[in-house]
């Protein structure tokens, strides 16, 4: 039986907003203990050598060389640490790559928060979790120029009030644009929006 605050995590994510959201999501799990939130891989080795770490959540494709070095290090000296690839790249070829690297869990960034939470539970209990979908076909998302501007500011981590001040519009107007954008991407919150925007970035068009 899991004890509360018993599982320590490292989150490696370059994008500040997503890194913060992932950290908050893990914090809300009853079994989560210490969480080390990192922008890149530079501190992972030192943390795993000096702290008790049970799971690392990262996107191997953000820096494949560093990720490969990390997995080699873990397999040789910290094989007990569970690893989760949280990536846009979850086609069968990438799944084979992750398996070769020894990564234990795989979740697509386009999967639901519930799926990600299930992978965290798998990490806490020590069983493999490899859920993926093929998102090679992405539909074009059409946004107005103002919606594109609001979207960019929101995904950069700006709050509604900051967006309103920058664009010289009311908070209520920002909320309206935000609601439209979320609806067009078929998501309910910014955390789910960020990975979809990353996947569709080259397909976004202004009308």
């Amino acid at each position: 039986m899991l004890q509360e605050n018993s599982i320590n995590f490292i989150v490696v994510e370059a994008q500040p907003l997503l890194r913060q959201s992932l950290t908050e999501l893990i914090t809300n799990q009853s079994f989560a203990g210490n969480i080390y939130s990192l922008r890149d891989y530079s501190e992972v080795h030192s943390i795993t050598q000096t702290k008790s770490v049970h799971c690392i959540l990262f996107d191997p494709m953000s820096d494949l060389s560093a990720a490969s070095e990390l997995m080699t290090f873990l397999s040789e000296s910290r094989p007990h640490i569970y690893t989760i690839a949280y990536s846009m790249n979850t086609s069968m070829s990438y799944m084979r790559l992750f398996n070769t690297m020894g990564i234990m869990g795989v979740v697509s960034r386009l999967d639901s928060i519930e799926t990600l939470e299930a992978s965290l539970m798998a990490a806490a209990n020590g069983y493999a979790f490899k859920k993926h979908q093929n998102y090679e076909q992405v539909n074009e998302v059409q946004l107005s120029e103002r919606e594109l501007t609001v979207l960019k500011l929101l995904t950069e981590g700006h709050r509604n009030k900051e967006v309103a001040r920058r664009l010289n519009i009311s908070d209520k107007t920002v909320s309206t644009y935000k609601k439209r954008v979320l609806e067009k991407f078929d998501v309910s919150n910014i955390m789910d929006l960020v990975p979809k925007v990353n996947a569709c970035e080259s397909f976004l068009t202004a009308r």
Side-chain angles (χ1 to χ4, degrees):
M1 181 176 178
L2 284 176
Q3 295 181 353
E4 288 192 2
N5 310 121
S6 61
I7 306 299
N8 300 326
F9 290 83
I10 292 177
V11 175
V12 183
E13 172 56 50
Q15 194 167 61
L17 179 61
L18 183 54
R19 184 168 67 248
Q20 178 184 344
S21 297
L22 289 170
T23 302
E24 290 176 355
L25 177 68
I26 296 173
T27 300
N28 290 332
Q29 309 306 308
S30 62
F31 50 79
N34 296 321
I35 303 169
Y36 305 96
S37 180
L38 307 176
R39 181 175 58 85
D40 55 39
Y41 296 88
S42 60
E43 297 179 56
V44 175
H45 284 223
S46 62
I47 292 175
T48 56
Q49 290 175 317
T50 59
K51 307 291 184 181
S52 174
V53 175
H54 303 91
C55 178
I56 303 175
L57 177 70
F58 64 110
D59 180 4
M61 304 315 296
S62 65
D63 187 338
L64 186 56
S65 176
S68 297
E69 289 181 8
L70 171 63
M71 291 306 302
T72 299
F73 165 75
L74 294 178
S75 66
E76 293 175 350
S77 62
R78 301 289 189 279
H80 65 281
I81 295 180
Y82 193 101
T83 48
I84 300 175
Y86 185 52
S87 179
M88 285 302 306
N89 304 288
T90 57
S91 64
M92 289 309 299
S93 60
Y94 285 107
M95 292 290 286
R96 285 192 291 270
L97 172 62
F98 296 158
N99 188 59
T100 300
M101 293 172 69
I103 294 172
M104 302 166 195
V106 179
V107 181
S108 168
R109 293 192 180 214
L110 295 185
D111 277 321
S112 66
I113 291 177
E114 288 75 20
T115 300
L116 181 54
E117 287 180 324
S119 74
L120 299 175
M121 180 61 74
N125 287 282
Y127 57 84
F129 187 96
K130 299 195 176 178
K131 170 86 167 59
H132 77 281
Q133 298 179 22
N134 191 340
Y135 293 99
E136 293 177 355
Q137 300 299 321
V138 183
N139 293 326
E140 184 179 89
V141 178
Q142 290 192 340
L143 303 175
S144 69
E145 289 186 9
R146 182 47 64 91
E147 286 170 346
L148 276 172
T149 302
V150 170
L151 170 62
K152 182 176 184 296
L153 292 171
L154 289 173
T155 54
E156 286 176 351
H158 298 290
R159 305 297 182 185
N160 283 20
K161 288 185 178 180
E162 296 173 336
V163 175
R165 186 174 64 253
R166 282 175 175 243
L167 300 181
N168 196 28
I169 57 180
S170 68
D171 291 1
K172 184 177 180 180
T173 301
V174 173
S175 296
T176 299
Y177 282 124
K178 179 179 178 180
K179 182 173 183 291
R180 290 178 188 171
V181 169
L182 292 175
E183 287 176 349
K184 289 185 177 182
F185 279 91
D186 193 27
V187 295
S188 59
N189 56 66
I190 295 296
M191 182 178 177
D192 285 342
L193 177 64
V194 171
K196 283 204 171 186
V197 171
N198 289 340
C200 303
E201 189 170 5
S202 60
F203 296 86
L204 293 176
T205 60
R207 53 175 174 76

